[in-house]
Amino acid sequence: MSLRSSIDFLLYQWLNAPALNQRERFSDHSRDTFDAVLDTCERIAREKYAPFNRLVDTQEPHFDGDKVTLPQATHDAQKAYAESGMLSAAQDYDWGGMQLPYTVEAAANAFFACASVSIGSGMLTTGNANLLMAHGTEAQKNVFARHEFAGRWSGTMCLSEPQAGSSLSDVATRAVPDGADHESDPLGPRYRLKGNKMWISAGEHELTENIIHLVLAKIPGPDGKTVPGVRGISLFIVPKKLVTPEGQLTGERNDVALAGLNHKLGWRGTTNTLLNFGEGKFQPGGQAGAIGYLVGRPGEGLKCMFHMMNEARIGVGMAATMLGMAGYLASLDYARNRPQGRPMGVGGKDAAQPQIRIIEHADVKRMLLAQKSYCEGALALELFCARLVDEQHTGDAASADEARLLLEVLTPIAKSWPSEWCLEANSLAIQIHGGYGYTRDFPVEQYWRDNRLNMIHEGTHGIQAMDLLARKVLMENGRGLQLLAGRINQTIERAIQQPELAAHANALGAALQQVGSATKAAWATGVPTDALANAVPYMQAFGHTVLAWIWLDVALAVRASGSRDAAAQGRLAAARFFFHYELPKIGAWLRVVETRDQTCAELPEDAF
Amino acid sequence: MSLRSSIDFLLYQWLNAPALNQRERFSDHSRDTFDAVLDTCERIAREKYAPFNRLVDTQEPHFDGDKVTLPQATHDAQKAYAESGMLSAAQDYDWGGMQLPYTVEAAANAFFACASVSIGSGMLTTGNANLLMAHGTEAQKNVFARHEFAGRWSGTMCLSEPQAGSSLSDVATRAVPDGADHESDPLGPRYRLKGNKMWISAGEHELTENIIHLVLAKIPGPDGKTVPGVRGISLFIVPKKLVTPEGQLTGERNDVALAGLNHKLGWRGTTNTLLNFGEGKFQPGGQAGAIGYLVGRPGEGLKCMFHMMNEARIGVGMAATMLGMAGYLASLDYARNRPQGRPMGVGGKDAAQPQIRIIEHADVKRMLLAQKSYCEGALALELFCARLVDEQHTGDAASADEARLLLEVLTPIAKSWPSEWCLEANSLAIQIHGGYGYTRDFPVEQYWRDNRLNMIHEGTHGIQAMDLLARKVLMENGRGLQLLAGRINQTIERAIQQPELAAHANALGAALQQVGSATKAAWATGVPTDALANAVPYMQAFGHTVLAWIWLDVALAVRASGSRDAAAQGRLAAARFFFHYELPKIGAWLRVVETRDQTCAELPEDAF
């Protein structure tokens, strides 16, 4: 298996991506144009990303007090990515885009994440510009988004602060109107911002001519107080360098200063920063405070920010998936070439025989098939979600609404599941390498380190679980959950008619019922603390059920293809692995949900 | 909870360690002398180890082509440890030891592993000298072991080679008799060795005056050929610097040369080396080949080496446990001090209220209690195994034999279980820290990296699982498994009479039956490939059952103590957590064992 063969199968045999081309927006496209995009991205990733993945891990960003230095390879990768047109691939032709379906964009971007997850930060720039396209004024779109799509400027998302990570309602950054004429600035209502933002990826560098920060801050009322909670949050464009209404650099720095770089366990190719806004290091117009332009309406900042959250969370899920995939492919290659040990015979091992390669040992095969079932399954899930994004944007009203609601329910899984299980895949990849896997001479330890971030950023595991159990499965009177169950049941109905898949179908049906009754039992008392004490185990079980469904649906596509080649055999085995080794795990997770187990929640602090 | 309070409870309330003092060997000891040892080790660990744990991670060993340089802190830690007398603590008074029970030695050494697992390598030196005490000649003991116990020389274990890791039968290092008089050397039959040894911890440094390598090699027969398999392996003492029969350095280097340092993901405070034996860089007596002295009889090298294996595997299990414990304590401290978010109420969160500390969130409590149940449970298991070692050495014949057999069965669990679950604990410790845990400003990411080694060295997870299912549960007609089941049933019988523990007792009884029938089902066809395809899931289920037993037994001790304080409450909750959240996981693992699932084993290579 290769990443490309997997993507090809999932896009063309399973998701039938070319059918999108019957829609007006995508009507110029064909499998040929999709393939051309995939070819280009695969090539750039192979040439400009993969060879430098270790280098960007060891040559971390360096700040000399003035500028942040990154390796030349990072500049080259950035340039090649921008030149590929991927930053604006999904945009209208008018905007220099190619009106590419998001499904294909996501698949094409997977090559970069697999080759070197941290060398590029294109996802942030695209997400930033997409947000402006949705919520910005024409001037904001033309000045900021346009330069981002072109790759001349890059973008960030500034949500967290040192004292406010998961709890965004506590952001302390303040924005005050900048002068009497602040409402009439051509770039949007102009404010002065003061505060600190933490964990800002790509927050400072010399890769692009300018950096466009999207910053959450609160606007104090006439009494100088801010509205508590997330309702008080507004969103601002804060460029690193000031620009004219026509989008030219004025030559003046905005008051955004790098306070320090974070030194992380992994993901070291991307600068990660603490930024000071308005500390007075630079004083545009001779005044303190970073100049920012309001996006959308005051108090609706988080709502605007969440516009990009679904795609960002799919992006995180895809990154986790691709780190897992990179480890799988590396350990598969190692297992095919490393001789060690001998076959097991009834009479023991014959030491006079030559050694076999470790892929011939059952336990190594188990570790490989586990990785394949986690990573190829997760890839299928992410592409399925990307396909829903396209449906939401280009389907008919009913279908778009269903896609929206399914996405709401599936997003916490798309983000959390690969973060947990493709990390486990990376650990198995290390294990297959033995002692060598524990050294920096092989790539797998880096994948494992890089991947550990994904359960943390863009909403922790715990936050995703609360989102799922407290919001998503309840919203619209449970319609999202019903919709998902309906889709799962459709797959079950088709699979149950095939002798090879009927047992899986029955197992999935039982799992779905278990999840359904656990959901009810969790909320039986109506008390959130009862229900949510075990939100993470619930999400783990929910995720495994979703993945079992995805694998069963993929298995149906394998069988429908009529192929019985090695790749088909491998996918059916990965599905079987998931049903035999993984799905049965949900029982243990759901048990504590069903009983609303308070063992942890009730334990007093001094008993730990 | 502190590590000390946990050790005190387990040693004194649970294992009744002072009862050992009724035995002649330990008759000078008392709880006071045990406490004095614990106090000393706790203090040295706090002063000489803990403050330098990050330093030894960042200042890796450096080889300039001549000498290996280590930080001064490593020299200081080594010196303090040697001066504490811990290297020879378990030895006879005649040998400068204190005749300390192994149980207390293991507990005392835990402080060092918790403070900085890689700064010290005392375990290897003690293990090396212990092996010589068991299998060496009087001269070998007096010259080599004595200097090791004194801390003047240090020891290594040289098993693996670049092409022979898990498969020791493939060692290619050769030993040939060194001259006609080789049999009459006072230090033992003298050979010349040639070969390469890989992954040798503490293989080169300037911490001690000499380094004593214990090296596995094969002696070719008259036809120049070696015996295939492990039966052909012999064991040799190969000092870095040559010594006189009286143990003085001759001033001449032996032909052991550092070929390179391994650069690892973690555990960086200990040099890890590739050593060349007999490559001719040094030529003692003007001849090529490293001089080595045979230990024990030719062909019995691996048997001798395994003498130290049980203790080494308990040592690895303890190291994994202590890394987990270090992460638990760090994340507990962080959770008690980090404000973030608000309590959950029926009407949602009130953003106007001040933030609460994260230990007040149910999901953080869940992650803390999981860590506690993994790490304190694993500590109990390791100390229980250490207590069995004492029983084996000082109990009456029947009791010693039972202890030996129980140790055989439990050793794969003592090694593998903490390696897997205390690593998971470290991941939870990162998660509790959020983004901060992913930076190198906090200690938890290093614990996680350090801990990843433990599933690999001293026999991989896969090797432990084969040892358990193919050897240990079958040996002596299954007597070891029956013995363990008997002990577990004794605990169940006591617990079932206590209302608070009866449900746990029933659950453990059911788990034990499941493991028993899965063992039978695995071997039902008598075909090793059928049984062993799922040896690792079997070991996971076996391990969880053992840990449930340990927790139930600890819970009995808590209740017997009559205490209802916070610590008692915490231990009962950790036991309950294990029974509610963890033990139910065995169903999924055993399912594939019972059905002898061949999904992985049968998959052809090109289907991956």
Side-chain angles (χ1 to χ4, degrees):
Chain A
M1 176 183 138
S2 68
L3 173 56
R4 180 60 184 269
S5 66
S6 185
I7 284 177
D8 281 349
F9 176 83
L10 294 171
L11 279 188
Y12 300 132
Q13 306 283 317
W14 182 51
L15 290 176
N16 192 15
L20 283 166
N21 306 339
Q22 288 155 21
R23 296 182 180 175
E24 195 187 331
R25 180 170 181 81
F26 307 127
S27 59
D28 290 345
H29 282 288
S30 64
R31 174 156 179 175
D32 286 347
T33 62
F34 293 169
D35 281 345
V37 171
L38 295 174
D39 288 346
T40 302
C41 292
E42 190 177 10
R43 179 181 53 74
I44 297 173
R46 186 176 61 242
E47 293 174 358
K48 302 290 184 185
Y49 280 59
F52 309 104
N53 190 46
R54 176 62 71 176
L55 181 135
V56 299
D57 184 63
T58 51
Q59 291 184 24
E60 280 184 281
H62 170 70
F63 180 46
D64 63 6
D66 178 33
K67 283 189 163 64
V68 170
T69 307
L70 289 162
Q72 183 58 40
T74 306
H75 289 262
D76 296 344
Q78 167 90 13
K79 186 159 173 282
Y81 186 78
E83 285 173 358
S84 75
M86 283 302 288
L87 285 164
S88 61
Q91 302 303 315
D92 291 357
Y93 295 133
D94 297 352
W95 278 79
M98 38 179 139
Q99 297 191 184
L100 193 68
Y102 181 61
T103 312
V104 181
E105 185 190 1
N109 275 328
F111 290 106
F112 301 104
C114 189
S116 181
V117 78
S118 74
I119 204 173
S121 49
M123 188 181 90
L124 283 166
T125 298
T126 305
N128 180 306
N130 281 344
L131 184 151
L132 294 177
M133 293 301 285
H135 297 285
T137 62
E138 285 309 306
Q140 289 172 341
K141 290 194 263 186
N142 272 305
V143 169
F144 299 106
R146 194 177 287 280
H147 282 102
E148 291 186 90
F149 288 135
R152 286 180 52 205
W153 300 355
S154 53
T156 75
M157 294 167 66
C158 301
L159 288 77
S160 297
E161 299 178 2
Q163 84 298 342
S166 292
S167 181
L168 282 175
S169 61
D170 292 287
V171 300
T173 300
R174 297 288 175 263
V176 296
D178 185 31
D181 68 337
H182 78 280
E183 284 286 357
S184 59
D185 195 294
L187 291 173
R190 196 177 64 242
Y191 287 74
R192 292 273 181 168
L193 280 76
K194 285 193 187 185
N196 313 303
K197 290 290 176 179
M198 187 60 163
W199 312 123
I200 310 310
S201 288
E204 181 59 76
H205 54 72
E206 306 290 321
L207 294 169
T208 51
E209 293 165 21
N210 203 359
I211 301 173
I212 308 309
H213 304 290
L214 283 175
V215 183
L216 295 184
K218 291 190 174 186
I219 305 171
D223 58 356
K225 291 188 181 159
T226 58
V227 179
V230 296
R231 285 186 197 85
I233 299 175
S234 303
L235 178 65
F236 301 87
I237 298 168
V238 183
K240 170 183 169 182
K241 297 176 183 171
L242 294 180
V243 301
T244 69
E246 293 75 38
Q248 304 301 310
L249 299 183
T250 65
E252 199 176 10
R253 265 297 287 263
N254 200 357
D255 196 4
V256 184
L258 179 61
L261 297 176
N262 292 310
H263 296 287
K264 289 174 150 186
L265 169 58
W267 214 284
R268 293 183 185 162
T270 305
T271 48
N272 189 272
T273 61
L274 171 60
L275 296 178
N276 288 345
F277 291 82
E279 65 163 5
K281 181 167 179 182
F282 309 98
Q283 301 217 349
Q287 263 183 276
I291 290 174
Y293 306 100
L294 183 70
V295 181
R297 282 185 297 193
E300 296 192 352
L302 204 60
K303 208 177 101 187
C304 294
M305 206 55 132
F306 262 84
H307 179 87
M308 66 186 283
M309 202 52 97
N310 277 347
E311 285 182 39
R313 288 181 174 169
I314 296 174
V316 170
M318 185 64 103
T321 302
M322 285 303 106
L323 283 164
M325 188 68 83
Y328 171 54
L329 296 171
S331 63
L332 179 58
D333 184 60
Y334 186 82
R336 282 186 168 138
N337 290 293
R338 168 76 174 174
Q340 195 74 186
R342 289 175 180 75
M344 204 176 311
V346 179
K349 297 174 180 182
D350 182 353
Q353 293 298 312
Q355 298 207 53
I356 57 175
R357 293 159 310 123
I358 62 172
I359 198 172
E360 299 176 66
H361 294 301
D363 192 51
V364 172
K365 288 189 175 193
R366 184 186 61 81
M367 293 191 280
L368 288 170
L369 195 53
Q371 288 180 72
K372 182 178 165 76
S373 85
Y374 298 154
C375 302
E376 197 169 20
L379 175 59
L381 172 65
E382 301 303 327
L383 292 178
F384 180 80
C385 288
R387 180 67 186 74
L388 289 177
V389 171
D390 280 322
E391 197 60 30
Q392 189 184 354
H393 293 162
T394 65
D396 61 41
S399 170
D401 189 60
E402 280 203 356
R404 173 196 60 79
L405 194 54
L406 270 176
L407 264 176
E408 292 275 15
V409 178
L410 287 175
T411 297
I413 304 302
K415 195 276 180 183
S416 69
W417 199 90
S419 301
E420 180 170 355
W421 294 96
C422 297
L423 176 69
E424 179 60 25
N426 287 147
S427 186
L428 293 172
I430 292 175
Q431 194 67 21
I432 287 173
H433 283 74
Y436 292 99
Y438 194 71
T439 69
R440 280 120 69 195
D441 298 329
F442 286 79
V444 284
E445 62 87 23
Q446 186 185 343
Y447 299 140
W448 188 64
R449 282 187 290 111
D450 285 348
N451 218 348
R452 186 62 188 78
L453 179 59
N454 290 311
M455 275 200 284
I456 299 171
H457 65 172
E458 298 285 350
T460 64
H461 230 47
I463 296 285
Q464 301 301 324
M466 301 274 279
D467 184 43
L468 179 67
L469 184 52
R471 223 167 69 80
K472 298 304 177 60
V473 301
L474 303 180
M475 68 192 289
E476 301 181 22
N477 294 315
R479 199 167 71 87
L481 191 56
Q482 286 158 23
L483 194 59
L484 177 64
R487 295 288 180 100
I488 293 177
N489 279 320
Q490 285 170 18
T491 302
I492 290 173
E493 280 161 26
R494 287 192 296 136
I496 213 151
Q497 294 161 25
Q498 303 210 12
E500 197 183 339
L501 302 180
H504 299 346
N506 285 324
L508 180 58
L512 184 60
Q513 281 199 323
Q514 265 185 283
V515 169
S517 52
T519 311
K520 284 201 192 77
W523 285 105
T525 62
V527 179
T529 48
D530 284 356
L532 300 176
N534 297 294
V536 167
Y538 176 82
M539 180 173 70
Q540 290 174 306
F542 197 105
H544 258 50
T545 304
V546 167
L547 263 287
W549 163 52
I550 293 285
W551 266 120
L552 187 58
D553 210 72
V554 168
L556 280 167
V558 172
R559 293 195 56 87
S561 76
S563 170
R564 287 291 174 272
D565 64 7
Q569 220 180 336
R571 285 192 186 99
L572 292 173
R576 195 157 58 246
F577 179 92
F578 204 86
F579 277 93
H580 289 190
Y581 288 73
E582 294 296 328
L583 188 59
K585 291 179 179 174
I586 69 169
W589 289 318
L590 291 179
R591 190 180 178 280
V592 292
V593 177
E594 287 159 0
T595 57
R596 298 181 296 281
D597 197 305
Q598 302 293 308
T599 301
C600 309
E602 283 175 355
L603 194 63
E605 182 180 331
D606 58 356
F608 282 98
Chain B
M1 176 182 137
S2 68
L3 174 55
R4 180 60 183 270
S5 65
S6 186
I7 284 177
D8 281 349
F9 176 83
L10 295 171
L11 279 188
Y12 300 131
Q13 306 283 317
W14 182 51
L15 289 176
N16 192 15
L20 282 166
N21 305 339
Q22 287 155 22
R23 294 179 183 177
E24 195 186 332
R25 180 172 181 79
F26 307 128
S27 58
D28 290 344
H29 281 289
S30 65
R31 175 157 176 174
D32 286 347
T33 62
F34 293 169
D35 280 345
V37 171
L38 296 175
D39 288 345
T40 302
C41 291
E42 191 179 8
R43 179 182 51 76
I44 297 173
R46 186 177 60 241
E47 293 174 357
K48 302 290 184 184
Y49 281 59
F52 309 104
N53 191 46
R54 177 61 72 176
L55 182 136
V56 299
D57 184 63
T58 51
Q59 292 184 24
E60 279 185 285
H62 169 70
F63 181 47
D64 63 7
D66 177 32
K67 284 191 163 63
V68 170
T69 306
L70 289 162
Q72 183 59 39
T74 306
H75 288 262
D76 297 344
Q78 167 89 15
K79 186 159 171 282
Y81 186 78
E83 286 173 357
S84 75
M86 284 302 288
L87 286 164
S88 60
Q91 301 303 313
D92 292 357
Y93 295 134
D94 298 353
W95 278 78
M98 41 179 139
Q99 297 192 182
L100 193 69
Y102 181 61
T103 311
V104 181
E105 186 190 1
N109 276 326
F111 290 106
F112 301 104
C114 190
S116 181
V117 78
S118 75
I119 203 172
S121 49
M123 190 181 90
L124 284 165
T125 298
T126 305
N128 179 305
N130 280 345
L131 184 151
L132 293 176
M133 293 303 283
H135 297 285
T137 62
E138 286 308 306
Q140 288 172 342
K141 290 194 263 187
N142 272 305
V143 169
F144 299 107
R146 195 177 286 279
H147 283 100
E148 291 186 270
F149 287 135
R152 287 181 50 204
W153 300 355
S154 54
T156 75
M157 294 168 66
C158 300
L159 288 78
S160 297
E161 299 179 0
Q163 85 297 340
S166 292
S167 181
L168 283 174
S169 62
D170 291 288
V171 301
T173 300
R174 296 289 177 262
V176 296
D178 184 31
D181 68 340
H182 78 281
E183 284 285 358
S184 59
D185 195 294
L187 290 173
R190 196 180 61 244
Y191 286 75
R192 292 275 181 166
L193 279 76
K194 285 194 185 182
N196 313 304
K197 290 289 176 181
M198 187 60 163
W199 312 122
I200 310 309
S201 287
E204 180 59 77
H205 54 72
E206 306 290 322
L207 295 168
T208 51
E209 295 166 20
N210 203 358
I211 301 172
I212 308 308
H213 304 290
L214 283 175
V215 183
L216 295 182
K218 291 189 173 187
I219 305 170
D223 59 354
K225 290 188 181 157
T226 58
V227 179
V230 296
R231 286 185 197 84
I233 298 176
S234 303
L235 179 65
F236 300 87
I237 298 167
V238 183
K240 171 183 167 182
K241 297 175 183 171
L242 294 180
V243 301
T244 68
E246 293 75 36
Q248 304 302 310
L249 299 183
T250 65
E252 198 176 10
R253 265 299 286 263
N254 198 358
D255 196 5
V256 184
L258 178 62
L261 297 176
N262 292 310
H263 296 288
K264 289 175 150 186
L265 169 57
W267 213 284
R268 292 181 185 163
T270 305
T271 49
N272 190 273
T273 60
L274 171 60
L275 296 177
N276 288 344
F277 291 83
E279 65 163 5
K281 180 166 178 184
F282 309 97
Q283 301 219 348
Q287 263 184 274
I291 290 174
Y293 306 100
L294 183 70
V295 180
R297 281 184 298 194
E300 297 193 351
L302 204 59
K303 209 175 100 188
C304 294
M305 206 55 132
F306 262 84
H307 177 87
M308 66 186 285
M309 202 52 97
N310 277 348
E311 286 183 39
R313 287 180 176 171
I314 295 173
V316 169
M318 185 64 102
T321 302
M322 286 302 106
L323 283 164
M325 188 67 83
Y328 171 55
L329 296 172
S331 62
L332 179 57
D333 184 59
Y334 186 82
R336 282 186 168 139
N337 290 292
R338 167 79 173 171
Q340 195 75 186
R342 288 175 181 76
M344 204 177 309
V346 178
K349 297 175 181 181
D350 181 354
Q353 293 299 310
Q355 298 208 51
I356 56 174
R357 294 159 310 124
I358 62 173
I359 198 171
E360 299 176 66
H361 293 302
D363 193 51
V364 173
K365 288 188 175 193
R366 184 187 62 81
M367 293 191 280
L368 288 170
L369 195 53
Q371 289 181 71
K372 181 177 165 76
S373 86
Y374 299 154
C375 301
E376 196 168 21
L379 175 59
L381 172 66
E382 301 304 326
L383 292 177
F384 180 81
C385 288
R387 180 66 187 75
L388 289 177
V389 171
D390 280 322
E391 198 59 32
Q392 190 184 355
H393 293 162
T394 65
D396 62 39
S399 170
D401 189 59
E402 280 203 357
R404 172 196 61 78
L405 194 54
L406 270 176
L407 265 177
E408 292 275 16
V409 178
L410 287 176
T411 298
I413 303 302
K415 196 275 180 185
S416 69
W417 198 89
S419 302
E420 181 169 355
W421 294 96
C422 297
L423 176 69
E424 179 60 23
N426 287 146
S427 186
L428 293 172
I430 293 174
Q431 193 69 22
I432 286 173
H433 283 73
Y436 292 98
Y438 194 70
T439 69
R440 279 121 69 196
D441 298 328
F442 286 79
V444 286
E445 63 85 24
Q446 185 184 345
Y447 300 141
W448 188 64
R449 283 189 287 110
D450 285 348
N451 218 348
R452 187 59 189 81
L453 179 59
N454 290 310
M455 276 200 283
I456 299 171
H457 65 171
E458 298 284 349
T460 64
H461 230 48
I463 295 284
Q464 302 300 326
M466 300 275 278
D467 184 42
L468 179 67
L469 184 53
R471 222 167 70 79
K472 297 304 177 61
V473 302
L474 303 180
M475 69 192 289
E476 302 182 23
N477 293 314
R479 198 165 72 85
L481 190 55
Q482 286 158 23
L483 194 58
L484 177 64
R487 295 288 181 100
I488 294 177
N489 279 322
Q490 285 170 17
T491 302
I492 291 173
E493 281 161 27
R494 287 192 297 137
I496 212 152
Q497 293 161 24
Q498 304 209 12
E500 196 182 342
L501 302 179
H504 299 348
N506 285 325
L508 180 58
L512 184 60
Q513 282 199 324
Q514 265 186 283
V515 169
S517 52
T519 311
K520 285 200 190 79
W523 285 106
T525 62
V527 180
T529 48
D530 284 356
L532 301 176
N534 297 295
V536 167
Y538 175 82
M539 180 172 71
Q540 290 174 306
F542 198 105
H544 257 50
T545 304
V546 166
L547 263 287
W549 164 52
I550 293 285
W551 266 121
L552 188 58
D553 211 70
V554 168
L556 279 166
V558 172
R559 293 194 58 85
S561 76
S563 169
R564 287 291 173 274
D565 64 7
Q569 218 180 338
R571 287 194 183 98
L572 292 174
R576 195 157 61 246
F577 179 92
F578 205 86
F579 276 93
H580 290 191
Y581 288 74
E582 294 296 327
L583 188 59
K585 291 179 179 173
I586 69 169
W589 289 319
L590 290 178
R591 190 180 180 278
V592 292
V593 177
E594 287 159 0
T595 57
R596 298 181 296 281
D597 197 303
Q598 302 293 306
T599 300
C600 309
E602 282 175 354
L603 193 64
E605 181 179 333
D606 58 356
F608 283 97

